[in-house]
Amino acid sequence: MTSAGEQLCYTDAYARSTTAVVRHVELGDSTLVVLDRTVFYPGGGGQPADRGLLLRGTDGRTWTVRGARKAGGEIVHELDPADGDPPKAGDTLEVDLDWARRLALMRTHTALHALCGVVWRDHGALVTGGNMEPGAGRMDFEFETMSGDLVGSIEATVNAELAAERDVRVDVLPRDEAFAIPDLIRTKINLLPEGISEIRTIEIVGLDLQADGGTHVSNTREVGGIRVTGYESKGRINKRIRIELVDPILDA
Ligand SMILES: [Zn+2]
């Protein structure tokens, strides 16, 4: 059995294109393509999968990648069967992300971590879930005392933290070492499957540290500012905060 293809999104969030060889193609409702290397993020942790293009240099043929997902350890690219004949195993392809969309997702994801960091540090509230699209997202907290006034001050504090130009670091830690970090427990890494021997972490230095599989900008200055666009009670304890980026899409 060959090992999984190289998955650049986890080590270099800024890799937006690469050259790859097709390993496997499967026809169905989507045409599924596995490559020996890719820059696509397969989705997860509230961050949607990337979109983009595959290009075959030998004849200039292109395919739109409408989604991606993880299957059996591989990142699988989903093509529209209406795009015609799929690429073939052995083809060399150029792999290109829709970079404006991905960058907006990276900025949004990092903004949500800054929000989590502030809400945890200043109010001790745990995150229970979250979701995002490019430029906007929401987080759910166990946050009984949340109020409109509080949400206004949280917005100001998050913006001050983003403006503090904090570096964002990616690490991969052995499971035992990760479990020894008290702050990681709040992100429920204990829910991770037993078999996982390494934990990937995202740290907004000085503000937030979480177990996370997503893609992030490398400094909070790249996020710009956020706006709180709404908040709701999902019960006595569970509260939801919605945010958007002040500049949803920057020039990629
Ligand atoms: Zn995350």
Side-chain angles (χ1 to χ4, degrees):
M1 193 181 144
T2 51
S3 62
E6 198 181 344
Q7 303 177 351
L8 293 164
C9 63
Y10 300 118
T11 52
D12 180 7
Y14 289 85
R16 60 173 95 178
S17 66
T18 189
T19 303
V21 176
V22 178
R23 277 189 172 170
H24 181 70
V25 178
E26 201 175 303
L27 305 179
D29 294 339
S30 285
T31 301
L32 306 179
V33 177
V34 175
L35 305 168
D36 70 342
R37 176 183 305 119
T38 189
V39 288
F40 275 75
Y41 179 66
Q47 182 182 336
D50 287 324
R51 297 178 192 152
L53 280 180
L54 301 179
L55 167 80
R56 186 166 59 199
T58 50
D59 59 358
R61 181 83 167 75
T62 62
W63 294 268
T64 300
V65 182
R66 61 183 180 185
R69 61 184 138 97
K70 213 62 174 282
E74 291 280 12
I75 294 173
V76 179
H77 307 75
E78 303 173 358
L79 312 189
D80 186 345
D83 255 6
D85 287 347
K88 290 186 285 294
D91 283 356
T92 297
L93 304 178
E94 193 64 26
V95 184
D96 269 313
L97 293 185
D98 176 342
W99 178 247
R101 180 174 178 277
R102 157 66 93 76
L103 182 60
L105 285 166
M106 285 163 53
R107 294 169 60 227
T108 307
H109 201 160
T110 303
L112 289 169
H113 281 215
L115 173 65
C116 288
V118 165
V119 169
W120 171 250
R121 182 194 64 193
D122 296 352
H123 306 283
L126 284 163
V127 175
T128 58
N131 213 347
M132 77 199 78
E133 55 189 272
R138 64 166 170 82
M139 300 246 71
D140 295 337
F141 298 95
E142 291 177 355
F143 195 178
E144 194 173 354
T145 58
M146 192 188 76
S147 67
D149 285 351
L150 215 46
V151 166
S153 88
I154 288 167
E155 177 187 87
T157 307
V158 171
N159 280 324
E161 292 294 345
L162 294 172
E165 308 201 340
R166 295 184 180 279
D167 283 333
V168 182
R169 283 212 318 238
V170 184
D171 273 310
V172 177
L173 303 176
R175 185 188 178 92
D176 290 350
E177 206 175 304
F179 269 83
I181 301 171
D183 257 10
L184 276 183
I185 306 303
R186 75 191 159 90
T187 59
K188 299 181 169 42
I189 59 168
N190 48 341
L191 298 180
L192 292 172
E194 272 303 318
I196 291 181
S197 59
E198 291 185 322
I199 311 276
R200 186 172 180 271
T201 61
I202 299 292
E203 180 177 17
I204 300 177
V205 176
L207 177 64
D208 184 68
L209 177 60
Q210 298 187 35
D212 189 83
T215 63
H216 291 262
V217 292
S218 61
N219 187 286
T220 57
R221 87 171 75 86
E222 295 170 63
V223 176
I226 62 133
R227 225 175 346 243
V228 171
T229 55
Y231 60 94
E232 292 141 57
S233 276
K234 312 297 285 180
R236 188 172 61 83
I237 293 179
N238 294 308
K239 315 288 164 158
R240 174 169 293 176
I241 299 177
R242 297 176 187 278
I243 64 163
E244 65 182 22
L245 301 181
V246 171
D247 299 304
I249 306 279
L250 290 179
D251 238 343

